Amino acid sequence: MSTVLLRLKDACVRFGGKPVFEGLTAQICDGDRICLVGRNGCGKSTLLKALAQIYELDDGEYFLLSSQNLVYLEQDKKYPEDITTSALLESYGALPHEARAILDKLGIAADITLSNASGGQKRRFALAESLVKKPDILLLDEPTNHLDLPSIQWLEEYLAKFKGAVVVISHDRRFLEKVSNTTWWLDRGILHTNKKGFSTFDEWSSMLMEEEERRLEKLNTRLRLETDWLHYGVTARRKRNQGRLQRLQELRSERRHMMQNKTRSIDVNPINLPRGSKIIIEAKDIEKAYGDRKVVQPFSCRILHQDKIGIIGPNGAGKSTLVKMLVGELKPDVGNVKHGTTLKVTYIDQMRSGLNPTDTLWQTLCPEGGDQVWVGNETKHVVGYLKEFLFDENQIRGQVSILSGGEKNRLLLAKALANPGNLLVLDEPTNDLDMDTLDLLVECLQQYNGTLIVVSHDRDFLDRTVTSTYVVSETGEVQEYVGGYSDIEHYLKAASKASIKEKPKAAQTEKISAPPKRLSYNLKREWEELPKAIKALEKRIEELSTHLEDVTLYEKNPHQFAALSEELQECQEGLDAAETRWLELEMMAEKIQK
């Protein structure tokens, strides 16, 4: 039986006499990997601080097993500024090699002082400090903010081996799926507990919301309105996204076919973009260096109307530099970039510039006065439009300066998405957003009919929004893959398996073999059989899509709907992997024929 390490019973925390939560009961046991989720402002961070005894309970009981070392990840802790990061970690008990290893994995130089560190580096250092203190209970509030993908993956592996208990708040769905075995959902002051990881959250939360809606049907209209955002803002959105995800797969397929002739067309055709061209950006052999360091190696691409491009890579690898060259904010050292005519770019950078802190939310959306916002080709009342971005009516006449970081991000997105032009560029748009806002952002981007370039480390977000991904390495090399992050993983696994199959033959000799004159028997057979597999998958996807178009299926048989949806996703992933593998073999065959 698991040992209870920490328990709250009938806990209440109030601010200004108003309870953030009350009557809340929760416990942490050894081996728990708890993800704490809920909307921004619902009290997640308050609950975490109550667990850490940073906030004292106004009512209720607090129990912590006396032998337990509890560590809370502080976001804005003050540190001595005249000591190096490695020495500071050693002062917390880390061995020298351990301190340097953790700093390296989190992308922090071991010989700098925190007086010279950026805000992001300080937050990463706070995470390093939390890990070296050898906690029995580790409380983490948004630990993946300001981490690049390699650092996030390292943290996932670290927590998988961690012997203590963990409670983590994060907006990164893939991270939560990897690290959690229990889910806490804080919703309007009530803590719901599910003894399963975050991968089951959508189904579980939808079930709870449907049960609540049935109960509310027996109450009056005023109470029912309190949960409108639940049913119409979340459950319905998930149903609508089935069709949009199908459209995303179609766009990825179009991108894959276009890429088959990408290199040849860029090498042969001059950069000439006539009026009305579908081409938004065409870059040819662009490079950028700072001193002796090549930030972007020679790179060519052609971005078309309605392409959705994701960009990933380690911190400092040159992602923002690449984006700025593509949109014309930065001139490449070598090569050139050509834009389609009438290009209108909306660019949201990591600094979230573009908000006046003394303006009200109303003024931010209606700077010239009035109460109407142009959204695409129609107008919406400013209050109604801001409600779509989860703002309360009593916030709309308040100043921007009193908003939280997540709320400011949400307001900036509302402003940008009202009239984003034909090229929307988002640099780390998911930072500080809760999951409901992330779902809303995904929905807006899926409906957006222009071209998107997004820099992000959020793997689930990329999977749901982009048609193609540019991977930028630390050496400045840029490689394009069709699809989102999961598609890259499938491609690399398939390539690795193919490499392992061929490796024993190559290992028998130390000489560099000449290129093969023909495909091996196994590769040729795989190449010939793949079209049949692709055709079968396409047929099954069509059958499943037809079944799921039945709007009554979900109500009649939700389990069958879930099973068919899961099978559809598996078939689509299998189709992407099969098409990518066929393209790889096709290119190998073409090289041999030459």
Side-chain angles (χ1 to χ4, degrees):
M1 186 175 177
S2 298
T3 302
V4 176
L5 308 180
L6 189 156
R7 178 189 293 121
L8 294 179
K9 183 177 180 182
D10 295 328
C12 174
V13 173
R14 297 186 182 92
F15 288 132
K18 181 180 179 181
V20 179
F21 52 78
E22 58 184 340
L24 185 149
T25 297
Q27 64 181 28
I28 303 171
C29 300
D30 56 343
D32 277 350
R33 301 283 191 277
I34 301 168
C35 65
L36 172 56
V37 299
R39 296 180 68 187
N40 279 353
C42 72
K44 300 189 298 296
S45 294
T46 300
L47 174 55
L48 214 62
K49 289 179 179 179
L51 292 170
Q53 291 188 291
I54 295 171
Y55 288 161
E56 186 176 344
L57 297 181
D58 292 304
D59 288 304
E61 300 175 9
Y62 180 96
F63 165 80
L64 174 66
L65 202 62
S66 59
S67 60
Q68 299 304 296
N69 176 26
L70 184 148
V71 174
Y72 168 75
L73 171 62
E74 295 186 54
Q75 300 291 0
D76 300 308
K77 183 177 178 180
K78 302 296 182 183
Y79 292 101
E81 298 191 342
D82 57 349
I83 183 172
T84 64
T85 53
S86 58
L88 192 52
L89 283 190
E90 289 172 36
S91 72
Y92 296 134
L95 297 173
H97 72 276
E98 182 184 19
R100 288 182 175 272
I102 289 180
L103 290 170
D104 179 64
K105 293 297 184 181
L106 294 177
I108 308 170
D111 56 354
I112 66 167
T113 62
L114 289 175
S115 60
N116 297 320
S118 66
Q121 287 175 318
K122 289 178 180 177
R123 290 188 70 174
R124 280 180 270 148
F125 181 82
L127 175 59
E129 177 197 346
S130 300
L131 299 180
V132 302
K133 287 184 174 179
K134 311 296 183 189
D136 300 304
I137 303 173
L138 182 58
L139 307 179
L140 301 174
D141 194 347
E142 294 290 358
T144 64
N145 271 2
H146 302 284
L147 293 188
D148 59 14
L149 193 48
S151 298
I152 293 172
Q153 291 173 321
W154 173 81
L155 181 59
E156 289 171 352
E157 294 171 2
Y158 183 96
L159 293 179
K161 300 173 185 175
F162 180 63
K163 295 181 180 179
V166 179
V167 182
V168 58
I169 297 171
S170 178
H171 66 269
D172 188 327
R173 290 172 177 266
R174 192 67 54 84
F175 175 76
L176 293 181
E177 289 172 1
K178 295 276 188 180
V179 303
S180 65
N181 60 20
T182 299
T183 304
W184 286 354
W185 180 26
L186 186 58
D187 175 38
R188 289 162 291 164
I190 300 173
L191 186 69
H192 304 279
T193 301
N194 183 24
K195 297 301 289 183
K196 293 182 180 179
F198 183 75
S199 59
T200 65
F201 175 74
D202 284 348
E203 181 180 356
W204 170 63
S205 60
S206 293
M207 180 186 69
L208 292 182
M209 288 187 288
E210 288 168 2
E211 288 177 358
E212 180 178 2
E213 188 172 307
R214 284 194 291 270
R215 292 196 302 270
L216 287 172
E217 285 176 357
K218 300 177 182 179
L219 301 176
N220 60 46
T221 302
R222 184 180 65 82
L223 288 177
R224 191 182 307 118
L225 289 175
E226 290 182 6
T227 58
D228 273 357
W229 70 270
L230 286 173
H231 181 68
Y232 295 108
V234 180
T235 308
R237 185 177 301 136
R238 289 174 187 152
K239 294 176 184 177
R240 290 199 302 274
N241 281 348
Q242 293 293 330
R244 294 189 180 123
L245 287 173
Q246 174 66 27
R247 173 58 181 156
L248 183 61
Q249 296 297 334
E250 292 170 0
L251 290 172
R252 286 176 178 172
S253 179
E254 291 173 13
R255 183 70 176 174
R256 183 174 296 108
H257 292 312
M258 185 273 289
M259 283 184 64
Q260 291 183 37
N261 298 314
K262 180 186 72 169
T263 303
R264 184 176 302 157
S265 62
I266 288 177
D267 288 343
V268 175
N269 296 335
I271 299 178
N272 180 23
L273 306 181
R275 190 172 188 84
S277 171
K278 287 185 64 176
I279 299 174
I280 300 296
I281 298 173
E282 186 159 15
K284 184 172 182 178
D285 297 327
I286 58 173
E287 301 179 37
K288 191 67 181 179
Y290 293 114
D292 296 332
R293 181 176 171 241
K294 274 280 184 73
V295 180
V296 177
Q297 299 278 7
F299 175 63
S300 300
C301 69
R302 183 177 278 177
I303 299 176
L304 305 181
H305 175 60
Q306 290 192 327
D307 277 349
K308 306 290 191 288
I309 306 296
I311 300 179
I312 63 174
N315 284 340
K319 302 184 296 296
S320 296
T321 299
L322 174 61
V323 172
K324 288 178 180 178
M325 286 195 293
L326 291 176
V327 301
E329 285 195 6
L330 188 64
K331 185 176 177 60
D333 296 335
V334 180
N336 49 52
V337 177
K338 186 76 172 180
H339 292 160
T341 53
T342 66
L343 181 66
K344 181 184 176 185
V345 182
T346 298
Y347 195 153
I348 301 181
D349 59 23
Q350 291 190 56
M351 302 307 294
R352 305 295 181 252
S353 54
L355 292 178
N356 185 342
T358 61
D359 281 347
T360 65
L361 278 68
W362 189 304
Q363 291 170 327
T364 300
L365 271 295
C366 300
E368 297 178 1
D371 59 4
Q372 298 295 309
V373 182
W374 275 100
V375 181
N377 296 320
E378 62 180 7
T379 59
K380 291 186 177 182
H381 194 278
V382 62
V383 174
Y385 182 64
L386 284 169
K387 281 183 175 180
E388 292 179 11
F389 283 82
L390 309 180
F391 287 102
D392 294 328
E393 191 166 348
N394 58 10
Q395 293 179 285
I396 294 172
R397 294 189 182 275
Q399 288 191 341
V400 170
S401 59
I402 65 174
L403 298 178
S404 67
E407 288 170 332
K408 288 177 182 176
N409 199 356
R410 212 189 309 158
L411 177 62
L412 196 56
L413 289 168
K415 181 180 178 182
L417 293 170
N419 192 10
N422 54 6
L423 175 60
L424 177 61
V425 182
L426 305 176
D427 197 346
E428 294 293 351
T430 66
N431 279 352
D432 300 316
L433 293 185
D434 61 12
M435 288 180 185
D436 287 335
T437 309
L438 265 175
D439 284 342
L440 178 65
L441 176 58
V442 168
E443 181 180 7
C444 290
L445 295 180
Q446 288 173 341
Q447 293 180 86
Y448 174 56
N449 63 2
T451 302
L452 172 71
I453 298 177
V454 56
V455 179
S456 180
H457 301 303
D458 191 319
R459 293 156 290 180
D460 178 78
F461 177 75
L462 291 170
D463 279 345
R464 293 194 288 164
T465 55
V466 304
T467 59
S468 193
T469 305
Y470 296 168
V471 180
V472 184
S473 72
E474 291 179 325
T475 60
E477 295 176 314
V478 185
Q479 176 69 45
E480 180 176 0
Y481 295 87
V482 175
Y485 186 80
S486 295
D487 299 287
I488 297 173
E489 286 186 315
H490 292 149
Y491 174 83
L492 294 178
K493 285 178 183 178
S496 176
K497 288 178 182 178
S499 174
I500 291 171
K501 287 180 182 178
E502 296 297 313
K503 204 168 184 178
K505 296 180 181 179
Q508 292 173 4
T509 176
E510 294 182 358
K511 296 181 180 180
I512 299 175
S513 303
K517 295 182 179 180
R518 60 186 178 84
L519 287 176
S520 68
Y521 173 80
N522 288 338
L523 290 179
K524 184 178 180 182
R525 182 172 177 80
E526 182 184 1
W527 182 37
E528 292 172 345
E529 292 295 324
L530 273 171
K532 298 178 185 177
I534 290 171
K535 189 173 181 180
L537 284 167
E538 288 175 338
K539 182 178 179 182
R540 183 56 181 158
I541 287 171
E542 186 177 351
E543 292 172 351
L544 291 168
S545 299
T546 301
H547 284 303
L548 291 170
E549 284 174 1
D550 181 359
V551 294
T552 64
L553 177 60
Y554 182 82
E555 297 177 356
K556 292 189 295 187
N557 194 334
H559 295 295
Q560 184 185 9
F561 179 86
L564 291 177
S565 298
E566 184 177 352
E567 185 183 354
L568 176 61
Q569 183 176 352
E570 289 174 356
C571 287
Q572 289 168 338
E573 290 173 354
L575 179 61
D576 278 345
E579 288 178 337
T580 301
R581 179 58 176 159
W582 179 87
L583 179 58
E584 180 186 358
L585 293 173
E586 174 82 2
M587 293 173 67
M588 288 173 61
E590 286 180 358
K591 288 180 180 178
I592 291 170
Q593 290 170 5
K594 291 178 181 179

